[in-house]
Amino acid sequence: MLNNATIKALIDKLWNNFWSGGISNPLTAIEQITYLLFMKRLDDNESKRERDGEFVGEKYLSRFSGKYKAPGADKTIDKQDLRWNSFKHMPAEEMLLHVQTKVFPFLKDLDNGDAFTKSMSNAVFIMPKPSLLVEAIKIIDQIFVEVEKDAHETTGGQSFQDIQGDVYEMLLSEIASSGKNGQFRTPRHIIKLMSDLVQPQLGQRIADPACGTGGFLLGAYQYMLTQLVLKENGDNVWHDEDGFVRATISSILNDKLKNIVDNSLYGFDIDTTMVRLGLMNLMMHGIENPHIEYKDTLSKSYNEDAQFDIVMANPPFTGNIDKGDINESLKLGTTKTELLFIERIFTMLKMGGTAAVVVPQGVLFGSGKAFVAARKIMVEQSELKAVITMPSGVFKPYAGVSTSILIFTKGGETKNVWFYEMLNDGYTLDDKRNKIDKSDLQDIIKQYQSRVVSSSGVENRAEDRGGHFFSIAKKEIIDNDYDLSLSKYKQEVYEEVTYEKPKAIFEKLESIESTISKELRELKELM
C-alpha cells in the first residue's frame, strides 16, 4: 500500500470533510466520493482520447461533444460545460446546482455500454452544502496531482494506475475501520493468501458470487499479472508488508492482455451500492470494463452453471433467506445462506475448477441434514484439498465470528484432507488489528504446496496430529459423519505439571501470614 504521507493526509482530510459536512455514514460518503471520481475519470479519459486522436491525425468524437438537455430542463446546454475541468471553476452555489441537476443526470443517461453507467440507474447524488462539494473537488484534484508526482518521482517507476488503485483501496479501508458498515470487506491479506493457494492463471474465468467491493477479483488480477512480471523480469518485484510477492502490474498491460483480463473476472452482488464500489475499485486498478452485475446468485434469476475455472468468495452468512426465492437447482433443502453458497459455488465451477471459500466454523461440524449434505458435496463430489481454520479476531473490529477457508476442486477425488490451524495472521486479534511480526500466512502457502499425498490416501510422511497441520484420510472423515472441524482430529499435547505437596504449601502460607501479622502489629504501634 501507499507510503506517501501527503496522499494519506489528503484522504483523511476528504473523509473528515464529509463527516463534518453532514454525511456521517461512511458507506454514503464513499458512494458520493465514487461519483466524483467517476466524473473526474470520465473527463481525464476523454481528454486523453482527444489528444491521442489528434496525435495520429484521427478525429475523436468525445462524449462531451454536442448538446444535452437534462430531465425537466427548459433548454439544452453545451456538453463541454459538464466536464470536471469546466464546472470545478464555478462559484460554490452555482456548482452544486449544476452538478446535481445537469452533470449527474448526464452521467446516468450515458448510453455507452459501460458497466458503471448501467449501475447508476438508482444512484442519488447527495451533497448537503456547496462548500463540501467545493472542498471535495479540490482535495480529489490534489490527490491526483500527488499520484502523478509519486508515479514519476518517488516510486521509481511504479505506474500511475497502480498508485491510483491503491488510493481507492485506502478509501475503502476507511469503511472497514468505521465499524458496522465494513462487514463486506474481507481483509486484504486473507485475499492474497487465498489467491496464492488457488493460483489463478491468465485466461481462466474467475468469479465471486457475492463480490462486495471486488476484493477477490482484484486479488486474482494482481496475482496473475504479478506472475507475468516474475517471468519477464524478476527484478521488478518486491515483498509487501505481509510477505507476498507484488509487482508494478498495470505497466505491462498491453491491449491484448487488457482484453484477456476484461473477459476473465466476473462478480455478482445483491447490493447496488456494492456493485458500484466494486466496479470503481477494478476500474481504478486498470480494468477498463469490469464484469460486475447486480444479481442474486442464490435466486431463480441466476443460472450460470459450470462456467468458471476459479471461484473465490467470502459469502454472507447472516442467517436465512426466503425459501420461495431459492433457485430450484439448489437441492440442499435449507434456507441458510452459508450452506446454499457452498452448493452454488460448486455448481458455478467447471469440471476441474477450484474454489476457495470462507465459511463460519459451524459449517464444519453442524449435525443438521443440510450441513452434512453440504460437506458431502465437497468430500464426495469434489477433491476437498484443505481446511484452514482462522482465529476469531481475523474479521475484527466488526465481526468476532470464527471462520475457516475451504479449498476444493470439482470432480476430483478426495483421498485425504489437509488441515492447518492458523494461530497468527500478522495482526493483533483485538479491535485495533495492529501489525505484528508473527504470521502463519507464508508457512500456510509453503506447507500446502509441499504436502505429498500417496495414491492410498495416506500422507507419505507420518505427521504429528499435535502440530499446526496434518492430513486425515477420507475414510476417517466419513466415519465421523463428514465432520471437518480441526479439533475433531487434532491430538492435544499435555505437559505434566508437578506441584508441591500440600504440607509444604501450607507451611509457606503460614510463613507469609506470620510475616503480614508482624508487619501489621508494627504499623499499629507506629500509629
Side-chain angles (χ1 to χ4, degrees):
M1 289 298 288
L2 291 164
N3 293 315
N4 187 311
T6 303
I7 292 178
K8 286 183 178 179
L10 287 169
I11 289 173
D12 288 341
K13 186 178 178 182
L14 185 61
W15 273 107
N16 291 334
N17 278 9
F18 270 87
W19 182 272
S20 60
I23 300 181
S24 57
N25 185 318
L27 197 53
T28 303
I30 186 63
E31 193 171 15
Q32 301 308 307
I33 293 169
T34 298
Y35 297 148
L36 294 175
L37 288 171
F38 184 66
M39 294 174 195
K40 176 165 176 56
R41 277 176 49 84
L42 183 64
D43 191 7
D44 289 349
N45 290 342
E46 289 300 287
S47 296
K48 182 180 183 302
R49 288 170 184 143
E50 288 166 351
R51 290 194 303 270
D52 290 346
E54 194 175 314
F55 180 75
V56 298
E58 295 178 1
K59 187 171 177 59
Y60 172 71
L61 185 63
S62 170
R63 297 176 192 179
F64 293 109
S65 298
K67 301 288 185 179
Y68 174 71
K69 185 177 180 181
D74 295 328
K75 57 183 181 179
T76 61
I77 61 170
D78 193 323
K79 287 184 181 179
Q80 291 295 321
D81 294 335
L82 304 173
R83 303 185 81 135
W84 174 277
N85 280 312
S86 176
F87 67 72
K88 74 176 185 180
H89 298 295
M90 292 179 174
E93 296 279 355
E94 183 184 343
M95 183 199 299
L96 178 57
L97 184 63
H98 182 73
V99 173
Q100 282 178 332
T101 61
K102 296 181 178 68
V103 178
F104 198 69
F106 167 70
L107 297 181
K108 294 178 70 172
D109 287 345
L110 277 175
D111 185 17
N112 53 10
D114 285 357
F116 192 86
T117 54
K118 287 180 181 177
S119 75
M120 289 184 66
S121 60
N122 66 340
V124 179
F125 188 72
I126 303 169
M127 202 63 63
K129 48 190 179 182
S131 59
L132 176 57
L133 177 61
V134 171
E135 277 301 304
I137 287 175
K138 181 181 175 183
I139 294 170
I140 288 172
D141 270 339
Q142 289 174 333
I143 288 173
F144 274 83
V145 168
E146 279 298 318
V147 169
E148 190 78 49
K149 179 182 174 184
D150 211 9
H152 289 94
E153 297 178 12
T154 311
T155 60
Q158 187 177 4
S159 75
F160 177 91
Q161 194 74 67
D162 291 322
I163 305 171
Q164 178 183 262
D166 284 349
V167 166
Y168 197 70
E169 278 284 298
M170 193 176 290
L171 282 165
L172 290 174
S173 71
E174 293 291 326
I175 308 175
S177 64
S178 299
K180 63 181 180 180
N181 292 305
Q183 67 271 14
F184 50 82
R185 274 183 60 79
T186 306
R188 303 298 96 171
H189 57 289
I190 300 300
I191 290 174
K192 288 183 283 190
L193 169 66
M194 292 168 68
S195 298
D196 272 42
L197 291 173
V198 298
Q199 299 181 334
Q201 302 298 308
L202 196 66
Q204 289 184 321
R205 285 168 59 88
I206 301 151
D208 182 347
C211 67
T213 59
F216 280 106
L217 301 178
L218 183 59
Y221 164 76
Q222 292 175 325
Y223 176 85
M224 290 186 294
L225 295 188
T226 295
Q227 296 307 304
L228 283 182
V229 176
L230 266 172
K231 290 177 183 177
E232 292 182 8
N233 189 351
D235 294 334
N236 288 339
V237 299
W238 65 90
H239 289 84
D240 67 12
E241 67 276 13
D242 298 305
F244 293 95
V245 176
R246 284 295 171 262
T248 300
I249 55 177
S250 59
S251 57
I252 69 165
L253 275 179
N254 53 41
D255 289 340
K256 182 180 178 181
L257 282 179
K258 283 184 179 180
N259 186 57
I260 294 172
V261 170
D262 281 352
N263 292 291
S264 295
L265 307 172
Y266 296 83
F268 310 92
D269 206 279
I270 60 172
D271 186 326
T272 52
T273 298
M274 291 299 101
V275 170
R276 287 191 283 269
L277 298 186
L279 286 166
M280 182 56 70
N281 196 12
L282 267 59
M283 287 161 59
M284 293 281 278
H285 281 87
I287 302 170
E288 293 184 3
N289 297 301
H291 299 283
I292 297 181
E293 298 179 47
Y294 169 67
K295 192 168 285 188
D296 183 353
T297 51
L298 299 180
S299 71
K300 294 179 171 66
S301 64
Y302 184 84
N303 292 293
E304 296 187 30
D305 291 347
Q307 296 291 312
F308 302 103
D309 301 286
I310 300 285
V311 175
M312 291 196 292
N314 177 15
F317 28 88
T318 54
N320 302 318
I321 63 172
D322 191 328
K323 190 173 183 179
D325 293 336
I326 300 173
N327 193 299
E328 295 90 341
S329 66
L330 302 177
K331 307 294 186 184
L332 284 180
T334 181
T335 58
K336 292 185 177 296
T337 56
E338 62 265 39
L339 302 179
L340 290 170
F341 269 110
I342 289 175
E343 187 176 12
R344 168 51 71 213
I345 289 168
F346 175 81
T347 62
M348 291 172 71
L349 287 169
K350 294 177 182 178
M351 196 61 71
T354 297
V357 55
V358 177
V359 298
Q361 292 278 22
V363 169
L364 306 182
F365 56 80
S367 58
K369 183 179 178 181
F371 282 91
V372 177
R375 297 196 294 268
K376 286 181 74 173
I377 288 174
M378 295 182 287
V379 175
E380 299 290 2
Q381 299 181 55
S382 312
E383 179 191 0
L384 179 57
K385 294 180 175 179
V387 177
I388 301 167
T389 64
M390 296 188 284
S392 59
V394 166
F395 287 91
K396 284 187 175 182
Y398 41 82
V401 63
S402 296
T403 55
S404 292
I405 299 169
L406 302 177
I407 301 175
F408 60 91
T409 297
K410 183 176 180 176
E413 182 184 355
T414 303
K415 297 187 186 304
N416 57 58
V417 179
W418 185 76
F419 290 80
Y420 192 106
E421 182 180 19
M422 181 196 299
L423 299 177
N424 294 289
D425 69 333
Y427 298 82
T428 58
L429 297 174
D430 54 17
D431 286 352
K432 292 183 179 179
R433 297 291 279 148
N434 294 322
K435 193 80 181 75
I436 59 173
D437 292 333
K438 291 183 179 180
S439 175
D440 295 327
L441 302 184
Q442 298 307 316
D443 187 57
I444 290 171
I445 296 168
K446 175 185 174 183
Q447 301 301 341
Y448 175 78
Q449 292 175 348
S450 65
R451 74 197 195 288
V452 181
V453 181
S454 71
S455 58
S456 63
V458 180
E459 189 85 355
N460 282 337
R461 59 180 183 272
E463 290 183 318
D464 180 11
R465 289 194 189 185
H468 290 326
F469 58 91
F470 50 83
S471 289
I472 301 298
K474 177 182 177 180
K475 184 180 183 305
E476 186 174 348
I477 290 172
I478 294 173
D479 291 344
N480 283 287
D481 207 16
Y482 296 91
D483 193 316
L484 297 175
S485 54
L486 180 137
S487 59
K488 185 75 175 179
Y489 307 101
K490 184 175 181 179
Q491 293 179 350
E492 296 296 340
V493 178
Y494 299 100
E495 292 185 10
E496 185 177 349
V497 179
T498 304
Y499 296 99
E500 289 185 273
K501 292 183 178 180
K503 184 180 179 182
I505 294 172
F506 277 115
E507 288 175 352
K508 286 184 177 180
L509 288 172
E510 287 175 351
S511 174
I512 293 170
E513 186 178 1
S514 174
T515 302
I516 292 173
S517 297
K518 179 183 177 183
E519 290 176 350
L520 284 172
R521 285 196 302 271
E522 291 175 352
L523 180 60
K524 189 175 180 180
E525 290 172 3
L526 181 63
M527 290 173 65

